[in-house]
Amino acid sequence: MTTFFAQHLAALLDALRRLVASPLNTLLSLLVIGIALALPCAGWVVLDNLRGISGSASGIQQISIFMVIDASKKEVGEVESRLRAARPGSWRFVSSETALKRLQSSEGMSEIIASLPKNPLPDAFVVEPADTRPDALERLAKTFSGWPKVAHVQLDSAWVKRFDAFIRIGKLTINLLAGLLAGALVAVTFNTIRLQILGRAAEIEVAKLIGATDAFIRRPFNYFGALQGALGGLFAALLVSLGALLLAAPVGELVALYGGNFVLRGLPAGGIAALAGIGAALGWLGAQLSVSIHLQRIG
């Protein structure tokens, strides 16, 4: 067991030494890997933030429950009790008096409201559902419309469906892009390792002649590919985090103009670790393929 760990430690140190020995080549490789991983990662971050923006902006993905005009306080309380029991998300009550005051504050409406014999606006509840999937929103709206003394339930389901379709198309596009760039990263690592193998071809052949196993020969190259990929993943996380930091202020100002309160989210710690892990796996795969092909050639 001690020999096993010693061999892996020696292979790891050899990979680190080769990374440090050619800083320019290492930097260029990390730049390529980082940009390739940052592109799909940034796309996922954008989609995740779009969902957050849509939920924070005023009037988006809300269900309005309008009571009948003559609904009593007891009947309004019954609907509120049903909301507490259903737990669809958060909600707020807008009384007819509050709605009338807001309407009066609108430009040119004060004289029109003053001429009315009575308040024409109903009491209402504005629900912000926890589950914002289109089918879930429609089920909620249908449930609300069946409650007693509910005159009308308003949901812009067409807008929600369009937004959901846009998100699904965005996810599919990013997945395709991620697949293409993952193939490119494997190819980059494959070529890097191939060049290293050509430079050490004589050393590898001698090692084979004296009984070195294929696993022993592969080990330092696999570590090199994995380390290069992991560092490239961390570099990608740095690029995405810097982009989120630079865009946080202007995006917050834009959302505030639409009545929202939103903070742009970057990559969490788990996302950074996942990005480094994906980079390491792709680097290992590229190195494994490159070494395997060379070992097959030399028999």
Side-chain angles (χ1 to χ4, degrees):
M1 185 63 71
T2 303
T3 304
F4 174 82
F5 284 113
Q7 289 177 348
H8 278 270
L9 179 60
L12 177 61
L13 293 176
D14 181 64
L16 286 171
R17 179 185 59 77
R18 281 185 283 135
L19 279 171
V20 175
S22 53
L24 182 59
N25 290 337
T26 299
L27 182 61
L28 291 176
S29 297
L30 294 184
L31 184 63
V32 171
I33 295 172
I35 292 174
L37 287 174
L39 289 175
C41 180
W44 277 104
V45 170
V46 168
L47 289 181
D48 182 59
N49 280 282
L50 277 177
R51 286 195 176 277
I53 290 173
S54 69
S56 69
S58 177
I60 294 180
Q61 295 184 350
Q62 292 180 345
I63 302 176
S64 299
I65 306 173
F66 297 99
M67 307 293 294
V68 297
I69 294 293
D70 58 350
S72 64
K73 290 185 178 180
K74 181 180 178 181
E75 291 165 338
V76 171
E78 289 176 356
V79 171
E80 188 171 3
S81 298
R82 286 174 178 264
L83 283 172
R84 287 198 187 97
R87 296 181 178 180
S90 61
W91 73 86
R92 67 180 187 275
F93 174 67
V94 181
S95 66
S96 57
E97 292 80 9
T98 301
L100 186 66
K101 289 179 181 178
R102 290 179 181 175
L103 191 60
Q104 280 180 321
S105 64
S106 301
E107 185 177 354
M109 294 298 296
S110 57
E111 294 182 3
I112 297 175
I113 297 299
S115 65
L116 297 174
K118 64 177 183 177
N119 187 353
L121 302 178
D123 293 326
F125 291 91
V126 179
V127 181
E128 297 182 1
D131 189 350
T132 57
R133 293 175 299 175
D135 54 344
L137 293 174
E138 290 185 350
R139 284 197 301 269
L140 271 180
K142 186 176 181 180
T143 300
F144 295 156
S145 62
W147 289 355
K149 297 300 180 179
V150 172
H152 176 64
V153 175
Q154 180 177 319
L155 166 66
D156 188 0
S157 58
W159 184 93
V160 174
K161 288 180 178 178
R162 287 193 295 268
F163 180 77
D164 188 69
F166 171 78
I167 293 294
R168 284 189 281 111
I169 292 172
K171 285 183 177 179
L172 178 60
T173 303
I174 291 170
N175 285 336
L176 291 173
L177 178 64
L180 291 173
L181 291 176
L185 289 185
V186 171
V188 167
T189 306
F190 180 95
N191 188 59
T192 302
I193 298 299
R194 185 181 67 84
L195 294 175
Q196 291 191 7
I197 291 172
L198 292 176
R200 301 175 63 180
E203 179 184 341
I204 293 172
E205 290 179 7
V206 171
K208 287 282 288 182
L209 289 174
I210 62 176
T213 63
D214 289 350
F216 180 84
I217 295 172
R218 284 194 186 99
R219 197 171 293 132
F221 296 106
N222 288 347
Y223 271 114
F224 182 91
L227 281 173
Q228 184 176 254
L231 291 174
L234 293 176
F235 185 64
L238 177 62
L239 292 177
V240 174
S241 299
L242 284 175
L245 183 64
L246 292 174
L247 290 172
V251 169
E253 293 174 3
L254 178 63
V255 174
L257 294 176
Y258 289 90
N261 183 17
F262 177 78
V263 177
L264 190 67
R265 297 187 296 270
L267 274 177
I272 295 173
L275 203 55
I278 291 171
L282 293 173
W284 179 91
L285 178 60
Q288 180 76 1
L289 291 174
S290 184
V291 179
S292 297
I293 291 174
H294 181 76
L295 290 177
Q296 287 178 358
R297 287 176 180 172
I298 65 176

